[in-house]
Amino acid sequence: MHAKVNSGGVLGVNAYPIDVEVDVSGGMPGFSVVGLPDASIRESRDRIRSAIKNSGFCFPNTKITANLSPANIKKEGIGFDLPIAIGILGATSVLRQVELDGIVFCGGLSLNGKLKYFRGALPIAMSLKRSCTAFIMPKMSAYEAANIPGISVYGAESLAEIVEHIKKITPIETITIPPRKIAANKPYNSLDFNDVKGQEHVKRGLEVAASGNHNILLLGPPGSGKSMLAKRFPSILPDLTAQEALEATTIYSVAGKIKATGLLYERPFRAPHHTISYAAMAGGGSWPLPGEISLAHNGILFLDEFPEFRRDVLETLRQPLESGKITIARVNQALVYPSRFLLISAMNPCPCGYFTDPIKKCQCSPNQIQRYLSKISGPLLDRIDLHLEVPRLKYNELSRKRMGETSDIIKTRVIKNRNLQRKRFDYKPARGSYNAYMTSKEIETFCTLSQDAELILKEAILELGISARAYDKILKISRTIADMESSETIETNHISEAISYRSLDKSLWT
């Protein structure tokens, strides 16, 4: 007997249909899975045998062949346990083929027949929704898939429960997630900019960065508040749009890191330790999974103690900062993951941390300082828009009560500025409609300088010897500052403030 079951697999963040064909024929007892399965799928034979028996069904004591088609694409993961088991039940007449048509089955199996979570439910539902009428998955995975409108998703607890549903003995209810309910259940972020005392210049720079989606480098002595400011930065960013939430959740689904039901509605904030490996940052493994760079998509990647990261780890940032995606190449394939994030890096000015401190004396030699700073390459530094110096707080600033603006007030202004940019660039979701992503042509079109502003910029270029990329960064930052003041033309105060945010372009350490 032969049976065919619909399923799906994932390559990168994209899914593709898989036909699971099962043939139960005469011959010596045996169970083989073909179609380029990985080790986890080959081991599924023992799980499936026990799951079928412990669910109250007979496992055929004959030759069983399961084929995963197309056969030229390697398959991985436990998500094929359920469709193979359903195929065996279909081939042994427990289920009829007509009952299986049009349904996508995905999920792992325990030895007792219970269903287990598998990675990639969201992209599978997104890609196969036009070709199938229903999806049957483990309940936890089904909550991911239910975020795709226009499909019927059934979340099951066990193999026996699925058989009863298909035979219409005990139907399983579809899972629905009302968008309003998801939004209402967002976690509350208690971190607020109002907690930060002083540092008004830095707060202004962070507002500029949030308005134009510019990358940031925070530079200052230990205890000046760099990490505190970075952790509060998400509180002034707009909430994720529906499209951004779907993109971010898809990456987390592929990585198997979704802990709660529904979409991600808070912007991702990834803060890996400086001992992180190249593969963990960029993504990798024998079957490449997203790394921290991709998990920060549509959110923030915070790298504290920036120079302490390995050089090769830091250099992986160069491609995604420029293109918004990262390519992970292997012998037989190359996967592309989206990686459009806002980088916040923080560092001390020297190994001891007190080179620029007015009170504590620096204990480092000039050579030590130079070696420390040279850990960050020039091309990488060029890709960071704002260099913000975070000085030590004075006693009168530390002792006074909180007086700064709340995050909600700043966030309102940031949303206004971003809406202006979305209108200007006609909103291009694939690229991002922010000043930080302007092309050379758009810089020429939208960055109109007054005559005095052009003179100031010319003097700065001659004095600082900045690169062409840094020149573009200054124009993009000044465009954002002009937007914050509702100015069509970039004036002298806008260009001067933008230049002040490029402190590491100066001969600061000589």
Side-chain angles (χ1 to χ4, degrees):
M1 293 289 290
H2 172 270
K4 179 182 173 182
V5 178
N6 298 313
S7 188
V10 176
L11 272 177
V13 293
N14 300 312
Y16 57 96
I18 295 290
D19 291 334
V20 178
E21 299 174 301
V22 177
D23 180 72
V24 177
S25 59
M28 293 292 291
F31 188 176
S32 60
V33 181
V34 297
L36 289 183
D38 73 343
S40 63
I41 298 176
R42 290 193 295 270
E43 290 176 352
S44 70
R45 295 173 296 185
D46 297 320
R47 294 194 296 270
I48 292 168
R49 180 183 288 105
S50 297
I52 290 176
K53 289 181 178 179
N54 291 325
S55 297
F57 307 108
C58 292
F59 188 84
N61 189 28
T62 182
K63 176 65 176 177
I64 302 172
T65 304
N67 176 42
L68 308 180
S69 178
N72 62 330
I73 301 176
K74 189 174 181 179
K75 323 311 187 294
E76 65 90 28
I78 66 170
F80 296 104
D81 289 8
L82 177 60
I84 294 174
I86 292 293
I88 292 173
L89 295 178
T92 54
S93 300
V94 175
L95 298 171
R96 294 179 298 155
Q97 182 64 54
V98 68
E99 296 173 323
L100 305 179
D101 292 338
I103 304 175
V104 174
F105 295 87
C106 294
L109 284 174
S110 298
L111 298 183
N112 60 359
K114 298 292 183 182
L115 269 60
K116 301 189 72 174
Y117 173 85
F118 72 100
R119 295 185 290 104
L122 183 60
I124 287 174
M126 196 185 310
S127 298
L128 306 186
K129 66 178 182 178
R130 294 182 180 178
S131 58
C132 299
T133 59
F135 293 77
I136 298 181
M137 302 176 174
K139 186 164 287 186
M140 190 62 191
S141 300
Y143 279 111
E144 293 179 27
N147 288 288
I148 306 301
I151 63 174
S152 299
V153 181
Y154 300 91
E157 297 283 356
S158 66
L159 179 61
E161 187 178 322
I162 292 174
V163 173
E164 291 184 355
H165 168 76
I166 294 173
K167 300 184 77 64
K168 299 182 179 180
I169 299 172
T170 308
I172 303 171
E173 292 185 3
T174 58
I175 293 179
T176 56
I177 305 178
R180 290 185 180 180
K181 183 177 180 181
I182 299 173
N185 289 338
K186 289 189 300 179
Y188 177 72
N189 188 350
S190 60
L191 300 178
D192 196 287
F193 256 52
N194 193 32
D195 298 331
V196 183
K197 299 177 181 179
Q199 307 294 14
E200 299 306 323
H201 170 74
V202 184
K203 290 180 185 178
R204 165 71 177 181
L206 292 176
E207 183 178 345
V208 172
S211 297
N213 217 58
H214 301 286
N215 299 313
I216 313 158
L217 173 65
L218 300 175
L219 181 73
S224 57
K226 300 186 295 296
S227 298
M228 186 178 187
L229 286 160
K231 290 175 181 177
R232 281 154 180 76
F233 187 79
S235 65
I236 66 172
L237 292 177
D239 295 334
L240 288 169
T241 64
Q243 180 63 29
E244 288 174 335
L246 195 61
E247 291 174 3
T249 309
T250 298
I251 296 172
Y252 275 69
S253 175
V254 170
K257 292 184 178 293
I258 294 183
K259 302 298 182 184
T261 61
L263 298 178
L264 297 176
Y265 272 84
E266 282 196 336
R267 289 191 179 274
F269 184 88
R270 307 297 299 184
H273 192 260
H274 60 77
T275 57
I276 189 172
S277 67
Y278 177 92
M281 178 67 85
S286 57
W287 188 271
L289 293 177
E292 292 292 332
I293 287 175
S294 297
L295 292 171
H297 181 63
N298 288 332
I300 296 161
L301 180 65
F302 175 46
L303 302 183
D304 202 3
E305 304 297 341
F306 200 39
E308 301 299 335
F309 284 82
R310 280 171 29 190
R311 184 66 174 261
D312 62 332
V313 171
L314 290 180
E315 292 307 305
T316 61
L317 299 172
R318 288 167 62 171
Q319 180 198 1
L321 285 175
E322 200 71 24
S323 63
K325 59 186 178 182
I326 186 166
T327 303
I328 305 172
R330 291 294 180 268
V331 175
N332 297 321
Q333 62 182 343
L335 299 182
V336 178
Y337 286 111
S339 305
R340 181 73 71 185
F341 57 86
L342 192 154
L343 174 66
I344 302 180
S345 50
M347 62 179 286
N348 299 325
C350 67
C352 77
Y354 296 103
F355 178 55
T356 58
D357 192 89
I359 298 176
K360 281 197 174 185
K361 184 179 179 180
C362 176
Q363 304 296 321
C364 306
S365 68
N367 286 338
Q368 287 177 312
I369 296 172
Q370 190 59 43
R371 281 198 303 271
Y372 182 75
L373 295 175
S374 64
K375 291 180 180 179
I376 305 170
S377 67
L380 178 57
L381 195 61
D382 259 357
R383 287 169 168 80
I384 301 177
D385 306 38
L386 280 74
H387 310 154
L388 302 176
E389 296 183 54
V390 186
R392 172 196 289 271
L393 287 175
K394 297 178 181 178
Y395 174 76
N396 59 342
E397 293 175 315
L398 286 170
S399 59
R400 72 184 181 188
K401 294 183 178 180
R402 295 185 301 172
M403 298 175 62
E405 292 180 313
T406 64
S407 291
D408 287 340
I409 294 174
I410 302 174
K411 181 178 179 177
T412 301
R413 295 198 297 264
V414 169
I415 292 173
K416 178 184 175 182
N417 298 327
R418 287 199 171 201
N419 287 339
L420 175 63
Q421 294 165 49
R422 289 163 70 95
K423 184 178 179 181
R424 173 186 296 141
F425 300 116
D426 195 25
Y427 186 50
K428 300 177 178 63
R431 188 205 64 184
S433 299
Y434 308 116
N435 289 334
Y437 306 142
M438 280 193 289
T439 63
S440 298
K441 184 178 180 180
E442 288 170 336
I443 291 174
E444 291 180 3
T445 304
F446 299 116
C447 295
T448 305
L449 279 69
S450 67
Q451 189 173 357
D452 291 341
E454 196 165 349
L455 288 173
I456 291 175
L457 181 57
K458 181 179 179 181
E459 290 177 7
I461 292 172
L462 294 174
E463 181 182 341
L464 303 177
I466 63 176
S467 67
R469 184 182 285 113
Y471 170 78
D472 286 347
K473 295 290 186 187
I474 290 175
L475 288 176
K476 293 175 183 179
I477 297 167
S478 58
R479 178 67 268 168
T480 300
I481 297 170
D483 288 343
M484 295 169 69
E485 298 183 4
S486 303
S487 174
E488 288 292 332
T489 306
I490 297 174
E491 303 292 345
T492 55
N493 59 313
H494 306 145
I495 203 76
S496 298
E497 184 177 352
I499 293 170
S500 73
Y501 293 138
R502 300 288 304 181
S503 61
L504 293 185
D505 290 330
K506 307 172 186 177
S507 300
L508 191 65
W509 314 112
T510 58

